[in-house]
Amino acid sequence: MPWLLPILYFVLDALFGRASSWNATQWGYYLLSLAASLALWFIWWRATRALRRTRSRAAAAVALLGGVIYGVNTVLVYGYVAFVGAMPNYYTFEFILDEPLNSWILLRDSLSLVHLLLFIPVMALFALWLYGRPRRAVLKPSRVVQARWSVWAAALFLIVAQLVLHNNARFVDQCFAADMTTTTSIARNISTRMRGQVTGRSGLLARLPRPLPDLTGHVLRTADGQPVNVLVILTESVRADALSIYGSPRPTSPFFDSLSVSDSSTTFLFASALSNASRTFLSMPSFVTGISPIQPARLLHTQPVIWEFFGALGHQTFFITSQSHEWRQMKNFFSVAGIGHLFNLETSGREFSNDMGINDRYTLDDFRQWLAGRDPTRGFAGILQFHCTHYPYRVANSLRVFPGETRRDNYDNSVRVLDDLIRDVVETLRTEGVDRSTLVVLTSDHGEEFKEHGIFGHVHSYYRNTLWIPMFWIVPADVQSATPTGDRMSTLAANTQHNVSNLDILPTLLDVFALDTIDDLQPIRDNYLGRSLFKPLDPLRPIIACNNSEVNRIPVGVTMVTGQWHYILNITDQHPDREELYDWTTDRAETVNVFDNADPALIRFIYDEFARYRVTAGLFDIAGVDLTAPPADRTTGP
């Protein structure tokens, strides 16, 4: 009877195609985890049978408990694999331990009637396997606590196997059996906390921002005396090709599309804008500070943020968002950010919608109220962040435009809702009479993958679908006339055809207000990896995105775009190749990995860039890739 468990896991893994790209090392760890699963199950099974022979009611209780644990774990683990395209691992369970409320909301939104119908028979199956068939002989209660040599041998083997799996999980955690991925991940989280090591929850801390000089002398005004304002519209999980103007086959963004082509002298659509991380927790703080995740945490926590710059200019500032700031300690980070008006999930008092967010209509209402009540003699600058395009993409039936109930159907409908929100924002600016004096930037924190490469979501993916985001600038004629122009607007237009990043937004805004000419700000500007979009860009400059930083250790890997080339280093082993390289001029869908045939000079350039930063160099060390070796001799780890 104990052999049924590894057989069940093997059959399920085959059905899910988990071993399709494993090498010999990964197969070895998988077979070891199956043997460990057998040992754990054997111990539990023997204990249940011993109790059963004593006619103790505890046998049924133990069997039922085992059935519940194994049944729930099996359904949830394989449900996660089917849903995300990857096994849950150490960081999944770290997130569950750190964010129980958020985890419950995600689970609640992901469960369907099928899952609920699966729980009962699967739990019953495991319970029946454990209960077994009783023998007629009745054993004395003292025999319950006595274990045969086989049980002790199984326990010893389980301990040794767990140690081996525990120490190598960072390389092969996608190859563990369903129960071993859970036990190993929980054990690693417990040991990490017992050692007092940094975990994901300790991530963002309260900032210690460096002071800024008085910048009120740099306030811009239009020809009719109106102060120049800045509005950044930040969207959630919006991939560029989800919008019609970027190639979506569905009319997902009719208003945005019409706005994009309305006036080429004031509207600028960037063809290749890239996120700096495919996690909001890293992308958002990086975006407002101009500091990349690969740079030191010291810079992230001391560099002035966008609100502080405009506060020093004398502007009224706001951060109006549908998202939660309790999540991952973001509240600490924004508590001393110089935000004049803060609205988020916690301050709104509204119920959850789409994971840890609220209905964007409440957020839009707050923006309207704040704009109507502002001091019109002073400029304003702030971020308006929407959440409707976050999983699970809830859209009211009355707002659905596209048929179908798949995740992509729901996502496209949520993008259409976002388009309506953007329409209302622009109309609000016009109603308040500030549309001609407000510079508007629209972007997204990252994109979204729909299993084009086997992964759903964005955390585990660095492919184009999660990096390529929309970026759109509206620079009204009145704003252009308020700042020295020259060939600046033609340069901005030319840069729409180059690779740009969210890290470019803050340096560009400083350039608009001529803050790039102040000597006292030079030490701050020296820390930027982004560049002003009003200045010529090097089309081959490297743009790095990373979901790992000094304050958030989730080593998915790292990626770089330089010119037409997109390089990916994979650390997690749900990807078939450790290193990938794609040519976007011929393979925008990223289906052909050309890394093995790449020009050694290109690989040398990529390696040298990654070697400059401690975070990225550390990731290559984890992956076993030698950044100093000649490209022809490069080797990869397990």
Side-chain angles (χ1 to χ4, degrees), residues 34-56:
L34 279 183
S37 296
L38 175 60
L40 179 61
W41 181 258
F42 177 76
I43 294 169
W44 205 321
W45 179 73
R46 288 290 303 177
T48 307
R49 285 181 65 83
L51 289 169
R52 186 76 173 94
R53 291 173 188 142
T54 65
R55 302 183 184 275
S56 170

Side-chain angles (χ1 to χ4, degrees), residues 8 20 41 47 109-110 141 148 224 299 310 331 370 373 461 487 493 503 510 547 549 585 620 629:
L8 173 66
S20 60
W41 181 258
D109 291 339
S110 303
R148 295 181 179 181
D224 59 357
L299 294 179
F310 284 98
K331 180 180 179 179
W370 183 88
S461 173
D487 60 353
L503 292 177
L510 300 188
N547 285 350
S549 72
T585 59
F620 276 84

Side-chain angles (χ1 to χ4, degrees), residues 228-258:
V228 173
N229 313 301
V230 172
L231 172 63
V232 178
I233 303 174
L234 182 62
T235 63
E236 168 68 46
S237 304
V238 177
R239 50 191 276 178
D241 62 0
L243 302 179
S244 314
I245 201 164
Y246 281 104
S248 172
R250 284 172 161 172
T252 53
S253 52
F255 175 75
F256 182 80
D257 300 346
S258 65

Side-chain angles (χ1 to χ4, degrees), residues 495-515:
N495 285 336
T496 61
Q497 301 307 308
H498 296 320
N499 294 325
V500 300
S501 165
N502 271 347
L503 292 177
D504 297 326
I505 293 177
L506 185 52
T508 306
L509 295 177
L510 300 188
D511 192 357
V512 170
F513 287 80
L515 301 185

Side-chain angles (χ1 to χ4, degrees), residues 561-572:
V561 176
T562 174
Q564 72 197 64
W565 301 104
H566 180 203
Y567 170 88
I568 303 174
L569 171 74
N570 295 309
I571 292 180
T572 55

Side-chain angles (χ1 to χ4, degrees), residues 359-611:
N359 189 304
D360 288 315
R361 285 292 161 184
Y362 299 131
T363 307
L364 180 61
D365 289 343
D366 188 80
F367 172 69
R368 286 170 169 161
Q369 292 172 13
W370 183 88
L371 199 60
R374 78 191 188 286
D375 179 357
T377 65
R378 298 168 56 201
F380 65 82
I383 296 177
L384 178 61
Q385 184 180 24
F386 293 124
H387 194 66
C388 60
T389 45
H390 191 283
Y391 174 80
Y393 327 119
R394 280 207 191 96
V395 176
N397 290 333
S398 60
L399 300 177
R400 297 181 68 88
V401 176
F402 310 113
E405 293 293 336
T406 67
R407 282 181 291 199
R408 189 55 198 265
D409 295 327
N410 294 335
Y411 179 74
D412 287 344
N413 276 299
S414 71
V415 174
R416 184 61 179 261
V417 170
L418 175 67
D419 186 68
D420 290 336
L421 291 167
I422 296 172
R423 181 195 305 271
D424 290 343
V425 170
V426 173
E427 288 298 327
T428 299
L429 295 177
R430 291 172 180 166
T431 300
E432 293 296 326
V434 293
D435 56 307
R436 296 171 58 187
S437 58
T438 302
L439 186 155
V440 179
V441 183
L442 184 142
T443 187
S444 183
D445 55 354
H446 51 73
E448 194 87 326
E449 178 101 3
F450 287 92
K451 289 199 171 183
E452 289 88 349
H453 298 88
I455 301 295
F456 169 68
H458 45 266
V459 174
H460 298 283
S461 173
Y462 282 133
Y463 293 105
R464 181 181 175 89
N465 299 319
T466 55
L467 288 184
W468 186 30
I469 55 176
M471 185 182 288
F472 181 69
W473 288 66
I474 303 176
V475 189
D478 287 3
V479 174
Q480 295 182 29
S481 64
T483 182
T485 53
D487 60 353
R488 289 160 62 90
M489 303 314 297
S490 60
T491 301
L492 181 65
N495 285 336
T496 61
Q497 301 307 308
H498 296 320
N499 294 325
V500 300
S501 165
N502 271 347
L503 292 177
D504 297 326
I505 293 177
L506 185 52
T508 306
L509 295 177
L510 300 188
D511 192 357
V512 170
F513 287 80
L515 301 185
D516 61 330
T517 63
I518 301 176
D519 292 339
D520 289 344
L521 299 183
Q522 187 60 48
I524 294 173
R525 295 194 300 270
D526 288 341
N527 293 324
Y528 292 143
L529 298 183
R531 296 292 178 262
S532 170
L533 300 177
F534 283 116
K535 292 180 170 62
L537 297 177
D538 178 0
L540 298 180
R541 68 170 178 149
I543 296 177
I544 297 174
C546 189
N547 285 350
N548 196 74
S549 72
E550 289 186 355
V551 299
N552 191 72
R553 295 174 176 85
I554 300 186
V556 176
V558 67
T559 187
M560 177 194 294
V561 176
T562 174
Q564 72 197 64
W565 301 104
H566 180 203
Y567 170 88
I568 303 174
L569 171 74
N570 295 309
I571 292 180
T572 55
D573 39 81
Q574 67 259 36
H575 300 282
D577 300 312
R578 182 67 75 200
E579 297 180 271
E580 301 176 65
L581 185 70
Y582 298 99
D583 183 350
W584 280 356
T585 59
T586 59
D587 185 19
R588 294 171 69 87
E590 299 182 325
T591 59
V592 181
N593 180 9
V594 298
F595 178 78
D596 289 337
N597 299 317
D599 182 353
L602 172 62
I603 302 302
R604 180 73 275 149
F605 171 78
I606 292 173
Y607 281 8
D608 288 345
E609 284 296 318
F610 283 129

